[in-house]
Amino acid sequence: MSNVTVEQLADVVGAPVERLLEQLKEAGIKADDATTLISDEDKLKLLDFLRSSHGKNEASKSEGKQQITLKRKSVSELKLGGAGRSKTVNVEVRKKRTYVKRSEAASSEKDELDRLMAEKAERDEGRKQAEEDARRKAEEAVVAKAEAEAKAKAEAEAAAKEKAEAEAKAEAEKAALLTTEEASKASKAKEGHKKSKKSHDDKDKAETRYGRKELHVASGKSGQRKKKPRKRSGATAESTGKHGFEMPVVPIVHDIGVPETIKVSELAQKMSMKSAEVIKLMMKMGVMATINQVIDQDTAILVIEECGHKAHPVSDDDRENTLLELAKQELGELVARPPVVTIMGHVDHGKTSLLDYIRASKVASGEAGGITQHIGAYHVETDKGVITFLDTPGHAAFTSMRARGAQSTDIVILVVAADDGVMPQTVEAIQHSKAAGVPIIVAVNKIDKEDADPDRVKTALGNHEVIPEEWGGENIFINVSAKTGEGIDDLLDAISLQAEVMELQASATGPAKGLVVEASLDKGRGVMTTILVQQGQLNKGDILLAGQEYGRVRAMFDENGNQISEAGPSIPVLVLGLPSTPSAGDPIQVLADERTARELAMSRSEKDRNARLATQQQAKLESMFANMGKAEVNILNILLKADVQGSLEAIREALVKLAADNDEVDVNIIGSGVGGITETDITLAAASNAIVLGFNVRADAAARKAVSERGVDLHYYSVIYDLIDEVKRALTGMLAPEYKEQIIGLAEVKDAFKSPKFGLVAGSIVTEGVVKRNQPIRVLRENVVIYEGELESLRRFKDDVDEVRSGTECGIAVKNYNDVKPGDQIEVFERVQVERTL
Ligand code: GDP
Ligand code: MG
């Protein structure tokens, strides 16, 4: 443990800063204020001081307080370092443990800590001769007295009490309360082994006779024994009828299962110890920790073993698997199931148009159902069979599900605009699909356009190992137009054909398993979760576990808003009944009883929380160490935030690979997470000299302020390829000036209302910069990008305007997007030429 400030020390020992400062002053240590650094030496000095002053206090107090002190022996080594030579002597020493009546113990937490500190100092250092003598006499008196008492008392339990009392008396008389094994060590070493041995033998006898089991003063244990929890029983006091002492019984050795990460307070609880004691113990082991800190499994096991308990590692997955194993239910026979399809491709190549066309032309529109809500997935019935489409936007959803180990998709439709060809996100989509091992069907779109060149698309895709069947490859290419509907039926046929080859199967009965496709909160109906059933059958009334949430299925709806009571494999449903929103990609399953569901939900959220805390702390520590002495190594520190777990993992992987391919420089991801960029992120980045990369996320107001105050380098991206490319260029020093996005304005949505002419209009106020009518925009919800597109109209009162400046209200209609809600933000950006710096 290195230097700490007065404040930190005060926190650790649990004393007010003022008091500690006072004590420091009394001990002759210079400490001006709470931020003064205290060295180890100073700490020892303070402990020494506390010990001596405390010893006095305790001695005068002990007469009034009912207090017993127990000793036990142990073997240890003593180094005598006199006049240039040193020798090591093995000595057997006795340790002391003072018991105070419970009421007092409870009321004097601070005293206890002082005492613990004092004891530490005492173990570390020798003792004064006078005290040694006093102590030795006290011991002898105790032994003698105890022996006498032993004859009188047959019952070991009672004897223990007597011994304790004897000690308390003796101690009071001798005014030598807080002594240690070191003290006797030193004195005995001086007096020679003979004497020491003799005294020890006496003691041993006494202990045996006094039933040391009850007092658990068994020999051969280390000094850490005093850390053990002891049960104090009030009943024993009554049985002797004489004293108000509470009887310590055999220490309970807990066999503690240690999860992958654990909070210090939880660890303490598992060992039945006070958190403060655990913290002190960890300090001694050289680990600074606070009560709420999460420590890793290895550290926790060391601490537990140090306390004399047994520890066995328990992986979080083990726990979950055991629960799942117990909850396992029979699934039905396997039958063929419909394919689940995801449409991917570069922006503006027609993904949404294609989905909309298929939905509009193929989904049998039911009667006005109970719910009108876009549920993020739908299924169509063709004469070749049922096909389910996931229409969550883009690759992120796809990969976020895959990152959780769930395969959401059987077939990917890669949309490539015939007039635009292969673009960065096209390549990204191929990579995602190939990584997931999902077959790709290429929809060459916009075939109706004059400048459509489907052959160019074929050639270009060939470079990325997506090769048409007619050229000997295994990818089906279909020319389509989402505008005219040309080729759409061929596309659906191709999907059914591909599915047939894949022989997709699932059991149609038994408890449902599947995935969360998306989830949202509706003011009236509560949490609405779109679920894709993958196995079994989901029924109304089932107990549903979705990620960390569980609840009963209150109602289910199909994509037309019609109430349904069951859903089989590959069928998407909207479910009401979960208490709060799970994440997209979370696994769902139906369980037989609510208790198991609750336990699994709890175990998952605990695991999640701990893992988060652990990475946060790790990031801080690692960067601290990284910055120490490593300055000359070329490291690019990165703090990464993304909209979903999937993109985060993908970017992480790519960055790690990038660093592995490059010898001179290293990429160090000091922190990463899902969601908007916060002030804490910026602080961490500033502290670690890191750049901040946001993928489809934005910094909030406080974070932006911190960015300008601390001069942190912040970059936004919406294409993974761009991000990686830019980092790569930065690493290789090839930052050429290039076109780049710059945010020019930000508006906050105050209200959303329907206008017959423009659809949904967002009554907004421009909070930063300028909102321009003809620039591309993004819609942000909680600092995460949820839509990218352009404006349909920009109005001030009744007038169309070209731009609106900061502080001004306006009405904004986003083209093709009707989901803007109050609280959302609309950011306007432009592409400008900038000097590239990272
Ligand atoms: P996404 O970004 O991939 O979802 O692309 P969109 O579906 O939003 O389409 C982008 C633009 O291309 C829109 O203006 C569409 O109207 C247009 N578009 C999409 N498909 C076709 C098509 O087959 N033919 C033509 N001419 N235009 C299309
Ligand atoms: Mg779209």
Side-chain angles (χ1 to χ4, degrees):
M1 189 176 71
S2 53
N3 294 354
V4 296
T5 64
V6 173
E7 199 172 10
Q8 284 164 333
L9 187 64
D11 190 38
V12 169
V13 301
V17 174
E18 293 79 3
R19 176 157 170 210
L20 192 62
L21 280 171
E22 214 174 280
Q23 285 171 338
L24 284 165
K25 210 170 114 198
E26 279 171 38
I29 300 159
K30 205 168 129 45
D32 301 318
D33 55 39
T35 59
T36 309
L37 281 179
I38 306 290
S39 69
D40 276 342
E41 234 168 81
D42 285 344
K43 260 182 259 162
L44 284 177
K45 206 164 152 192
L46 172 67
L47 292 171
D48 218 352
F49 165 75
L50 281 176
R51 184 207 58 209
S52 55
S53 66
H54 192 80
K56 272 180 244 143
N57 291 345
E58 202 67 12
S60 56
K61 263 189 245 160
S62 64
E63 214 131 28
K65 285 187 183 182
Q66 286 170 306
Q67 196 175 50
I68 58 172
T69 301
L70 303 179
K71 302 182 186 71
R72 63 195 162 80
K73 68 182 171 63
S74 74
V75 185
S76 59
E77 275 188 347
L78 177 70
K79 268 209 161 67
L80 289 178
R85 65 197 174 87
S86 67
K87 63 176 180 177
T88 307
V89 189
N90 278 337
V91 283
E92 287 186 318
V93 293
R94 261 151 271 151
K95 297 186 179 181
K96 290 190 74 158
R97 171 78 182 164
T98 304
Y99 291 90
V100 184
K101 226 167 81 178
R102 177 175 276 184
S103 59
E104 287 164 12
S107 70
S108 59
E109 171 97 33
K110 177 65 179 85
D111 284 351
E112 168 98 84
L113 284 174
D114 282 350
R115 194 175 51 70
L116 283 166
M117 285 183 86
E119 280 177 7
K120 178 192 188 312
E122 286 158 8
R123 265 198 306 284
D124 294 340
E125 292 187 340
R127 292 279 295 172
K128 286 180 198 124
Q129 187 63 46
E131 272 178 19
E132 286 162 12
D133 286 336
R135 173 172 149 58
R136 193 163 38 74
K137 277 182 205 152
E139 274 174 12
E140 280 161 11
V142 169
V143 171
K145 174 95 185 192
E147 266 175 340
E149 300 275 356
K151 278 167 203 153
K153 295 265 176 184
E155 259 189 67
E157 207 182 68
K161 290 285 154 211
E162 291 298 331
K163 180 178 178 239
E165 192 205 15
E167 282 196 26
K169 272 188 193 159
E171 301 258 339
E173 281 164 20
K174 301 291 174 189
L177 245 153
L178 289 167
T179 49
T180 66
E181 66 275 19
E182 299 290 348
S184 51
K185 233 191 240 175
S187 68
K188 274 174 219 155
K190 272 186 200 129
E191 284 162 32
H193 279 272
K194 232 186 217 166
K195 168 116 194 196
S196 162
K197 187 119 195 303
K198 182 174 175 286
S199 139
H200 164 68
D201 286 343
D202 290 346
K203 178 69 183 171
D204 208 13
K205 254 185 272 163
E207 281 177 353
T208 310
R209 260 179 243 148
Y210 287 105
R212 64 184 175 207
K213 260 185 203 131
E214 283 79 358
L215 288 167
H216 62 84
V217 285
S219 59
K221 292 275 172 124
S222 82
Q224 295 303 344
R225 268 287 294 281
K226 67 178 58 177
K227 291 291 174 194
K228 269 188 194 164
R230 274 138 204 203
K231 264 204 182 159
R232 292 169 189 192
S233 143
T236 352
E238 271 169 41
S239 72
T240 59
K242 239 171 124 188
H243 311 292
F245 294 120
E246 283 158 349
M247 179 57 188
V249 294
V250 181
I252 299 165
V253 175
H254 297 282
D255 192 357
I256 299 169
V258 189
E260 280 158 22
T261 53
I262 186 169
K263 257 202 208 171
V264 170
S265 56
E266 281 160 13
L267 179 64
Q269 200 194 3
K270 281 188 185 230
M271 296 192 291
S272 313
M273 284 169 71
K274 283 182 186 149
S275 297
E277 282 194 42
V278 176
I279 290 167
K280 289 204 66 62
L281 178 73
M282 289 176 68
M283 261 175 85
K284 282 179 205 153
M285 294 167 69
V287 183
M288 267 289 227
T290 59
I291 189 162
N292 284 320
Q293 187 151 343
V294 174
I295 57 175
D296 62 29
Q297 199 172 44
D298 293 345
T299 313
I301 289 176
L302 280 178
V303 173
I304 289 168
E305 282 171 353
E306 192 73 15
C307 293
H309 296 295
K310 285 202 189 92
H312 63 271
V314 177
S315 96
D316 293 340
D317 293 337
D318 286 354
R319 196 167 143 208
E320 179 157 340
N321 288 342
T322 314
L323 281 167
L324 284 177
E325 194 58 37
L326 288 173
K328 212 170 185 174
Q329 297 169 69
E330 283 295 300
L331 278 172
E333 214 178 298
L334 291 179
V335 293
R337 66 168 175 86
V340 180
V341 175
T342 298
I343 298 191
M344 299 210 267
H346 195 72
V347 67
D348 282 350
H349 280 199
K351 299 181 293 291
T352 310
S353 308
L354 194 58
L355 275 163
D356 287 351
Y357 187 92
I358 297 170
R359 175 194 275 265
S361 61
K362 301 291 169 187
V363 176
S365 55
E367 300 90 70
I371 212 162
T372 47
Q373 163 90 14
H374 179 220
I375 75 167
Y378 61 82
H379 72 285
V380 299
E381 282 172 33
T382 71
D383 34 348
K384 297 237 169 64
V386 177
I387 303 170
T388 299
F389 288 90
L390 294 184
D391 66 357
T392 48
H395 321 161
F398 177 81
T399 309
S400 91
M401 294 187 190
R402 203 168 71 77
R404 289 153 194 263
Q407 190 85 288
S408 60
T409 302
D410 302 307
I411 298 166
V412 164
I413 307 296
L414 179 65
V415 178
V416 188
D419 61 337
D420 200 21
V422 172
M423 301 300 282
Q425 280 172 291
T426 316
V427 177
E428 201 172 289
I430 295 169
Q431 285 164 357
H432 282 234
S433 312
K434 292 213 160 177
V438 176
I440 298 170
I441 294 175
V442 181
V444 182
N445 192 31
K446 307 198 186 183
I447 202 77
D448 58 288
K449 282 190 140 186
E450 247 170 46
D451 51 351
D453 188 353
D455 284 337
R456 189 168 61 110
V457 174
K458 275 187 190 170
T459 317
L461 283 176
N463 296 333
H464 299 279
E465 280 153 45
V466 176
I467 299 160
E469 282 178 325
E470 58 266 34
W471 293 1
E474 37 188 51
N475 298 98
I476 306 175
F477 278 59
I478 310 281
N479 293 345
V480 298
S481 167
K483 195 175 170 191
T484 65
E486 186 188 340
I488 302 284
D489 283 331
D490 295 339
L491 180 64
L492 296 178
D493 283 352
I495 295 169
S496 296
L497 192 73
Q498 178 77 53
E500 227 175 274
V501 173
M502 294 169 79
E503 292 181 353
L504 304 166
Q505 288 189 315
S507 51
T509 55
K513 277 191 176 184
L515 282 177
V516 174
V517 174
E518 58 179 30
S520 60
L521 188 65
D522 181 273
K523 274 211 185 89
R525 299 192 190 86
V527 173
M528 313 214 291
T529 313
T530 302
I531 284 170
L532 175 69
V533 179
Q534 294 180 308
Q535 286 279 353
Q537 183 175 305
L538 183 62
N539 300 298
K540 196 175 155 184
D542 279 348
I543 295 162
L544 181 70
L545 174 70
Q548 300 172 17
E549 308 297 332
Y550 74 96
R552 206 174 271 276
V553 177
R554 267 198 293 125
M556 293 202 298
F557 301 89
D558 67 11
E559 56 264 57
N560 294 318
N562 299 314
Q563 278 238 27
I564 50 173
S565 54
E566 70 214 15
S570 300
I571 297 301
V573 282
L574 181 70
V575 168
L576 303 186
L578 289 175
S580 58
T581 49
S583 311
D586 276 348
I588 67 109
Q589 84 186 100
V590 167
L591 292 163
D593 66 305
E594 203 164 321
R595 227 196 73 198
T596 315
R598 183 171 56 236
E599 274 176 27
L600 277 162
M602 266 167 53
S603 136
R604 284 177 184 174
S605 66
E606 200 173 288
K607 178 180 162 185
D608 185 62
R609 192 199 62 203
N610 286 345
R612 253 196 343 260
L613 285 171
T615 44
Q616 272 173 19
Q617 281 156 8
Q618 203 183 1
K620 280 179 208 157
L621 288 177
E622 277 174 7
S623 67
M624 225 166 72
F625 289 168
N627 287 350
M628 275 199 296
K630 254 190 151 185
E632 65 282 0
V633 184
N634 235 341
I635 296 179
L636 181 60
N637 286 330
I638 292 176
L639 191 143
L640 178 66
K641 295 296 288 272
D643 53 348
V644 291
Q645 192 66 31
S647 353
L648 193 70
E649 291 311 322
I651 296 167
R652 242 180 185 289
E653 257 176 52
L655 287 175
V656 167
K657 188 171 169 294
L658 200 66
D661 294 347
N662 192 321
D663 291 340
E664 290 99 86
V665 276
D666 215 342
V667 170
N668 181 20
I669 300 172
I670 60 138
S672 64
V674 170
I677 297 163
T678 63
E679 196 180 1
T680 326
D681 294 331
I682 302 300
T683 319
L684 174 56
S688 341
N689 201 11
I691 60 166
V692 180
L693 308 181
F695 182 76
N696 275 342
V697 293
R698 296 293 178 267
D700 63 24
R704 283 200 298 272
K705 191 158 159 261
V707 165
S708 52
E709 276 171 12
R710 294 167 175 268
V712 169
D713 205 6
L714 169 65
H715 302 260
Y716 295 150
Y717 300 92
S718 51
V719 179
I720 293 180
Y721 175 87
D722 287 349
L723 186 154
I724 301 302
D725 192 47
E726 197 158 10
V727 171
K728 191 154 95 190
R729 283 162 188 269
L731 288 181
T732 48
M734 292 186 353
L735 288 173
E738 206 178 279
Y739 286 98
K740 197 176 166 177
E741 281 172 14
Q742 197 152 307
I743 294 163
I744 55 169
L746 192 67
E748 193 171 317
V749 179
K750 295 287 176 202
D751 198 9
F753 48 90
K754 287 238 162 62
S755 131
K757 196 170 163 201
F758 303 110
L760 196 76
V761 173
S764 314
I765 180 157
V766 180
T767 51
E768 276 179 52
V770 192
V771 169
K772 292 189 178 172
R773 162 76 181 82
N774 291 320
Q775 295 290 349
I777 61 105
R778 291 194 183 93
V779 181
L780 313 179
R781 187 163 297 162
E782 275 158 15
N783 292 312
V784 172
V785 177
I786 57 168
Y787 183 77
E788 185 173 325
E790 51 192 276
L791 294 187
E792 179 81 52
S793 79
L794 180 64
R795 305 195 117 201
R796 284 268 303 144
F797 302 107
K798 292 252 173 298
D799 304 322
D800 277 309
V801 290
D802 281 333
E803 57 174 66
V804 180
R805 304 208 153 258
S806 176
T808 317
E809 292 192 338
C810 58
I812 300 176
V814 179
K815 201 172 188 171
N816 294 329
Y817 189 71
N818 283 326
D819 191 31
V820 178
K821 293 197 170 102
D824 288 355
Q825 289 176 308
I826 295 171
E827 87 176 14
V828 184
F829 61 98
E830 64 184 3
R831 292 176 216 278
V832 290
Q833 193 178 28
V834 286
E835 203 70 44
R836 297 249 241 166
T837 51
L838 257 187

